[in-house]
């Protein structure tokens, strides 16, 4: 997924990239290049296999650095990308600006030269700007606008004891995984096709625990766990009844057993029920980022609050034991479908302030959520990592829990554990802070009430069908999304699809833009705006899929243009150069306003990820293609009169059906032709 990529507005550039180390989070920020250099030390063992460079079969070598694309290529691709979404006149204006920018001896050439120099000096030239633009300078509240939610397969809890047993296993599974992470010993992910076998960058995995996003008045900071000053955290935070408890999971250098964890969790549940708190602190993390930065300043004037906040910020992860949401009882083993929408709501926003929205701390990278009705999943702060790393972790956890459940049953916990009772975090709230919480409460409820989500399992086909047609399933789905948008609105729109650039050191994502001229022509032919025979429609579909596939390959091999243009713009700003006109041009704004924000998050298990739309009049479309079905989560905002998740979902299914029917008719025609 993406958050709204900042447009060409000229905003002051913060001195830092917003990435700090845990040890100096309240002090001076680390210089960006220092942070980036820190991560260059990782080397990737090719496990004795040859990589694509057969003349240099080195077994221990760093990944390649993200290349800087040729300026000419980026400008051509940029123009191509806006062709289907801006008017002819606007296109001509933009073409002139691009020509001026890219001319020999022009500003583009100068900035490109400087960018190439800069790229020599850092591990990944794009990341600092990308992270700021995509996340840290986005001032919208984290829930629904930025943090994705993920729903795990439902569990069956007979009683509270069973829920807490599951929670204890989950904690153990996470700590198990963290041991591997701390040793930097995860098996290296590999590319599956398009130069299969190439290793992928694993840095995102290593940030999953103990990262934290601190709100800022200009930009947020992503606090990294790489400090040698602070000791490794040995506690998690358990949120229960809107209170936060410090649960030490390592005591005297030893990890707590599942039995001890269970005892401690029981104590937390009991204590939290005995002493309800009048003020719901967690709601502060639901605020707009600038408001939260101000509220945080007010909060930490009091040392008790500063200490409590510090415990949350430095914890390994947050575990939320949720109050009942009134969901129907979980049907274990039933495949995820539309009736599981409430589970997605619980993971994304907690159901409003009367339910669990305050039983969260949205700034923490990983929040695991367990309801008392068998619902479980997570909410994660997106800036340290893409969904792929989170999915791998979750699949490890679910396998761990499953194997432990079958291996041995937990014995009955002793009623009184010898460990000290987990400590509840204390807060001393000023009138101002109480008012901040109240403001957050009102806004969060409004935000939750505005959220329009439709979940559906499309079962007519999955990845298998496009593959049988020799088409990329991802491209097939993307073209179906374009066709759907055209079907509803009569035009295409700027579309974001995350494309992983993990083939390169510190690679994150670039943008596969699906609103191509080819997709437009195909959609027009399908709704009758362009006259075409069945065979011609099929040709148009193949052309659209091919173009989408080519753009995808360009992006994953480091030739995407979005990051490149962003780099040129930000470099101009940093060098004190005038910001080139192409960035204040309407086309650039338009092209970075994503009415369709999409991403594929592939899981092997029946789990799914979901997120909100990134603009007020747009859609978020997450999809998870399995071999014979596809899970879709379509989101929009109820307050927008021109969007409806239900309409989009229904039309999307119609588009998928129509595309399959077209392929089938075309192959029948082909076969008849061959027989004749
Ligand atoms: N004919 C037959 N089969 C094909 C095909 C063709 N023309 N093209 C692709 N396939 C097959 C592939 O071999 C693959 O097979 P598998 O299921 O056996 O593995 C399958 O179809 C899926 O391929 P495809 O749909 O083309 O692409 P993909 O799964 O590699 O995904 C991206 C493409 C862009 C989603 C992926 O490269 C990526 O970047 N993923 C990360 C996205 C991300 O970061 N998401 C998280 C955001 S929070």
């Amino acid at each position: 997924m993406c958050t709204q990529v900042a447009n060409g507005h000229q905003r002051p550039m913060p001195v830092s990239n917003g990435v700090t180390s845990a040890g100096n989070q309240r002090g001076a920020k680390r210089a960006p290049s220092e942070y980036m250099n820190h991560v260059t030390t990782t080397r990737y063992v090719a496990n004795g296999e040859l990589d694509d460079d057969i003349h240099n079969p080195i077994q221990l070598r760093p990944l390649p650095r993200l290349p800087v694309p040729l300026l000419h290529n980026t400008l051509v691709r940029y123009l191509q990308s806006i062709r289907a979404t801006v008017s002819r006149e606007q296109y001509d204006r933009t073409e002139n600006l691009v020509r001026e920018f890219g001319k020999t001896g022009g500003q583009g050439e100068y900035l490109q030269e400087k960018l190439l120099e800069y790229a020599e000096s850092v591990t990944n030239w794009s990341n600092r700007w990308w992270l700021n633009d995509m996340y840290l300078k986005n001032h919208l509240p984290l829930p629904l606008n930025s943090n994705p939610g993920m729903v795990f397969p439902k569990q069956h809890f007979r009683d509270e004891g069973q829920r807490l047993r599951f929670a204890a296993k989950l904690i153990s599974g996470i700590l198990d995984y963290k041991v591997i992470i701390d040793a930097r010993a995860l098996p290296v992910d590999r590319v599956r096709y398009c130069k299969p076998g190439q290793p992928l960058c694993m840095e995102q995995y290593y940030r999953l625990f103990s990262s934290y996003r601190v709100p800022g008045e200009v930009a947020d900071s992503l606090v990294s766990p790489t400090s040698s000053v602070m000791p490794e955290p040995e506690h998690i935070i358990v949120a229960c009844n809107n209170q936060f408890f410090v649960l030490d999971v390592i005591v005297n250098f030893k990890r707590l057993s599942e039995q001890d964890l269970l005892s401690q969790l029981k104590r937390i549940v009991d204590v939290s029920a005995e002493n309800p708190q009048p003020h719901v602190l967690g709601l502060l993390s639901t605020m707009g980022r600038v408001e939260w930065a101000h509220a945080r300043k007010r909060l930490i004037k009091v040392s008790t609050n500063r200490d409590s906040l510090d415990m949350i910020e430095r914890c390994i992860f947050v575990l939320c034991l949720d109050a009942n949401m009134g969901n129907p009882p979980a049907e274990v083993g039933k495949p995820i479908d539309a009736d599981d929408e409430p589970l997605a709501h619980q993971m994304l926003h907690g159901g409003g302030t009367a339910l669990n929205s305050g039983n969260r701390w949205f700034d923490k990278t990983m929040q695991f959520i367990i309801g008392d009705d068998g619902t479980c999943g997570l909410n994660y702060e997106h800036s340290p990592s893409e969904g792929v790393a989170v999915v791998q972790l979750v699949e490890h956890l679910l396998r761990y829990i499953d194997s432990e459940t079958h291996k041995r049953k937990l014995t009955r916990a002793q009623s009184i554990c010898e460990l000290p009772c987990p400590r509840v975090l204390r807060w001393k709230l000023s009138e101002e802070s109480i008012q901040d919480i109240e403001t957050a409460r009102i806004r969060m409820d409004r935000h939750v009430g505005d959220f329009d989500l439709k979940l559906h399992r499309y079962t007519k086909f999955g990845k298998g069908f496009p593959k049988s047609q020799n088409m990329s399933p991802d491209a097939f789905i993307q073209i179906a999304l374009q066709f759907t948008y055209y079907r509803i609105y009569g035009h295409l729109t700027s579309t974001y699809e995350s494309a992983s650039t993990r083939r390169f050191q510190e690679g994150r994502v670039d943008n596969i833009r699906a609103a191509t001229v080819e997709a437009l022509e195909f959609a027009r032919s399908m709704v009758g705006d362009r006259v075409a025979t069945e065979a011609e429609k099929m040709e148009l579909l193949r052309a659209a899929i091919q173009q989408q596939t080519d753009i995808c390959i360009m992006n994953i091999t480091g030739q995407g243009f979005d990051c490149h243009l962003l780099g040129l713009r930000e470099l101009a700003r940093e060098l004190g150069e005038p910001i080139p006109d192409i960035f204040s041009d309407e086309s650039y704004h338009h092209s970075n306003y994503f009415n369709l924000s999409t991403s594929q998050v592939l899981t092997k298990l029946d789990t799914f990820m979901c997120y909100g739309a990134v603009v007020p009049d747009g859609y978020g479309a997450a999809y998870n293609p399995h071999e014979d079905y596809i899970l879709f989560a379509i989101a929009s905002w109820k307050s927008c009169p021109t969007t409806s998740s239900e309409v989009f979902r229904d039309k999307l299914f119609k588009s998928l059906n129509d595309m399959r029917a077209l392929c089938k008719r075309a192959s029948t025609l082909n076969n008849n032709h061959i027989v004749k």
Side-chain angles (χ1 to χ4, degrees):
M1 83 169 281
C2 77
T3 53
Q4 183 181 353
V5 172
N7 50 33
H9 288 305
Q10 297 185 20
R11 288 182 297 205
M13 183 74 189
V15 180
S16 119
N17 70 336
V19 181
T20 64
S21 75
N24 61 3
Q25 58 183 284
R26 293 206 180 82
K29 289 174 179 173
R30 217 185 235 196
S33 54
E34 203 185 321
Y35 169 77
M36 293 304 178
N37 286 338
H38 168 81
V39 292
T40 56
T41 49
T42 308
R43 296 178 79 85
Y44 293 86
V45 184
N47 296 340
E49 297 167 21
L50 302 186
D51 66 11
D52 61 322
D53 182 357
I54 53 165
H55 302 296
N56 191 12
I58 296 170
Q59 291 179 8
L60 190 69
R61 63 158 63 181
L63 289 178
R65 288 190 192 181
L66 183 72
V68 177
L70 294 176
L71 180 63
H72 172 78
N73 288 353
T74 283
L75 295 180
V76 168
R77 285 166 191 160
Y78 170 52
L79 284 176
Q80 268 170 0
S81 80
I82 59 169
R83 248 208 145 103
T85 53
V86 301
S87 67
R88 184 72 234 180
E89 298 73 44
Q90 179 56 40
Y91 181 85
D92 290 344
R93 272 197 295 278
T94 303
E95 196 179 34
N96 283 334
L97 293 175
V98 165
R99 197 174 297 126
E100 177 63 23
F101 178 69
K103 73 181 182 196
T104 309
Q107 204 183 359
E109 259 191 12
Y110 170 74
L111 290 173
Q112 175 77 354
E113 214 174 280
K114 292 285 168 197
L115 184 59
L116 287 166
E117 274 172 29
Y118 174 66
E120 284 294 306
S121 68
V122 287
T123 308
N124 184 313
W125 58 265
S126 138
N127 265 1
R128 176 164 65 91
W129 295 313
W130 175 86
L131 189 66
N132 272 329
D133 206 44
M134 184 69 108
Y135 296 111
L136 303 183
K137 288 169 89 180
N138 183 339
H139 299 317
L140 294 172
L142 295 184
L144 295 173
N145 298 303
S146 182
N147 287 17
M150 186 171 180
V151 174
F152 300 171
K154 281 164 289 187
Q155 307 293 317
H156 176 67
F157 303 140
R158 250 192 336 269
D159 52 27
E160 183 67 352
Q162 273 208 335
R163 160 163 82 151
L164 299 184
R165 276 192 169 76
F166 178 83
K169 281 201 175 74
L170 187 86
I171 297 170
S172 278
I174 297 168
L175 296 177
D176 204 50
Y177 196 75
K178 189 169 179 296
V179 170
I180 310 174
I181 284 188
D182 290 347
R184 296 182 82 83
L186 281 172
V188 174
D189 291 346
R190 303 224 163 230
V191 173
R192 283 181 303 139
Y193 71 96
C194 190
K195 295 197 177 165
Q198 272 191 346
L200 295 171
C201 177
M202 298 297 287
E203 286 304 318
Q204 298 181 27
Y205 288 80
Y206 299 116
R207 286 193 289 260
L208 284 181
F209 297 107
S210 316
S211 296
Y212 186 79
R213 178 159 162 182
V214 182
E217 287 165 27
V218 178
D220 288 2
S221 309
L222 178 59
V223 177
S224 93
T226 53
S227 164
S228 52
V229 184
M230 300 292 281
E232 277 282 306
E234 298 187 336
H235 69 278
I236 67 167
I237 293 290
V238 179
C240 189
N241 283 321
N242 298 330
Q243 297 162 52
F244 297 97
F245 290 83
V246 179
L247 171 51
D248 291 314
V249 289
I250 297 172
V251 176
N252 296 333
F253 307 106
K254 277 171 75 179
R255 242 170 73 180
L256 257 55
S257 67
E258 280 178 27
Q259 202 165 316
D260 282 338
L261 287 169
L262 174 61
S263 304
Q264 295 292 63
L265 290 171
K266 278 184 174 161
R267 286 164 145 180
I268 288 173
V269 171
D270 292 345
V271 173
S272 72
E274 280 161 18
N275 308 306
Q277 299 291 313
H279 303 295
V280 183
L281 259 293
L283 291 178
L284 291 174
S285 70
T286 69
M287 297 177 98
R289 303 308 290 170
V290 177
E291 293 82 48
W292 174 206
H294 291 143
R296 185 175 180 278
K297 259 192 182 167
R298 291 188 278 271
L299 186 72
I300 60 176
K301 278 185 201 158
V302 181
S303 62
T304 309
N305 301 337
R306 196 167 49 238
D307 293 346
S308 291
L309 197 53
D310 197 50
M311 289 311 283
I312 298 180
E313 295 180 354
R314 287 194 303 105
C315 74
I316 303 172
F317 62 89
V318 174
L319 173 74
C320 308
L321 295 174
D322 269 10
N324 193 292
M325 299 262 294
N327 299 332
E331 264 185 70
V332 180
K334 183 184 96 43
I336 284 172
D337 209 334
D339 55 352
D340 292 316
E341 259 160 38
L343 313 188
H345 283 279
Q346 185 162 356
M347 300 313 143
L348 281 164
H349 56 70
T353 62
L355 294 165
N356 292 301
S357 296
N359 203 44
R360 302 277 185 276
W361 201 270
F362 288 98
D363 294 357
K364 188 66 202 169
T365 309
M366 298 301 301
Q367 290 196 91
F368 295 89
I369 299 162
I370 308 181
D372 63 354
D373 55 1
T375 306
C376 53
L378 59 83
N379 181 287
Y380 83 97
E381 197 287 291
H382 210 324
S383 60
S385 160
E386 265 65 65
V388 179
V390 175
V391 165
Q392 296 291 331
L393 158 71
V394 168
E395 296 198 334
H396 168 93
L397 287 181
L398 296 174
R399 275 195 304 271
Y400 175 94
I401 290 172
D402 200 40
S403 67
E404 288 297 297
T405 305
H406 290 110
K407 218 191 298 170
R408 59 191 157 82
K409 292 259 177 282
L410 275 179
T411 50
R412 183 177 292 275
Q414 287 153 358
S415 53
I416 300 192
C417 161
E418 283 171 12
L419 296 162
C421 189
R423 174 165 72 85
V424 67
L425 292 179
R426 304 260 167 228
W427 310 93
K428 283 190 185 153
L429 298 179
S430 64
E431 278 308 313
E432 282 177 312
S433 290
I434 292 171
Q435 187 51 49
D436 287 334
I437 295 171
E438 179 56 14
T439 307
R441 188 184 65 73
I442 294 166
R443 293 207 183 134
M444 183 61 181
D445 279 337
R446 204 181 305 139
H447 203 35
V448 167
D450 196 21
F451 186 55
D452 180 9
L453 178 78
K454 286 289 164 232
L455 175 69
H456 211 83
R457 186 186 187 85
Y458 178 81
T459 51
K460 293 246 163 75
F461 62 87
K463 283 200 282 186
F465 178 70
K467 282 195 217 172
S468 73
Q469 300 296 306
N470 197 17
M471 294 174 181
S472 146
D474 189 70
F476 195 91
I477 296 167
Q478 284 291 332
I479 299 304
L481 289 164
Q482 292 300 311
F483 176 18
T484 305
Y485 199 90
Y486 187 86
R487 197 165 220 163
I488 301 172
Y489 298 101
H491 59 88
L492 296 192
T493 190
S494 260
T495 305
Y496 190 102
E497 183 195 359
S498 320
S500 172
T501 51
R502 286 176 57 217
R503 288 167 196 244
F504 305 98
Q505 286 187 47
E506 273 289 309
R508 295 291 301 262
V509 287
D510 209 326
N511 180 4
I512 309 172
R513 289 174 173 268
T516 58
V517 171
E518 289 78 1
L520 176 64
E521 289 310 312
F522 167 67
R524 289 182 65 228
S525 75
M526 290 297 276
V527 300
D529 288 352
R530 168 183 171 155
V531 178
T533 63
E534 288 295 287
E536 284 164 349
K537 285 181 197 169
M538 191 63 205
E539 258 178 49
L540 289 169
L541 173 60
R542 285 214 177 270
I545 299 258
Q546 190 55 53
Q547 180 65 1
Q548 176 72 15
T549 307
D550 291 349
I551 295 176
C552 173
I553 291 172
M554 218 152 61
N555 272 278
I556 60 180
T557 54
Q559 296 297 322
F561 75 80
D562 276 69
C563 284
H564 189 194
L565 284 184
L566 175 70
L568 294 168
R569 185 190 86 194
E570 290 306 306
L571 194 57
R573 206 189 297 282
E574 285 183 12
L575 293 171
E577 286 279 311
I579 303 298
D581 291 340
I582 57 166
F583 298 118
S584 49
D585 175 34
E586 197 183 313
S587 296
Y588 189 69
H589 290 278
H590 183 80
S591 120
N592 285 302
Y593 188 89
F594 295 110
N595 285 94
L596 259 182
S597 169
T598 74
S599 76
Q600 179 187 135
V601 187
L602 205 59
T603 68
K604 291 195 197 84
L605 302 170
D606 201 24
T607 53
F608 69 96
M609 205 168 266
C610 45
Y611 51 82
V614 298
V615 295
D617 53 347
Y619 293 98
Y623 53 93
N624 182 1
H626 290 252
E627 210 52 36
D628 51 4
Y629 68 94
I630 310 168
L631 272 173
F632 285 99
I634 307 292
S636 60
W637 304 106
K638 288 179 189 160
S639 55
C640 174
T642 57
T643 56
S644 156
S645 299
E646 187 171 351
V647 170
F648 195 93
R649 180 200 61 191
D650 294 350
K651 302 265 187 222
L652 174 61
F653 291 171
K654 193 164 157 30
S655 303
L656 288 164
N657 293 346
D658 290 353
M659 284 166 67
R660 183 178 69 154
L662 175 67
C663 293
K664 291 205 156 171
R665 284 195 303 272
S667 71
T668 314
L669 276 177
N670 244 349
N671 289 343
N672 289 347
H673 185 69
I674 292 163
V675 172
K676 275 178 202 163

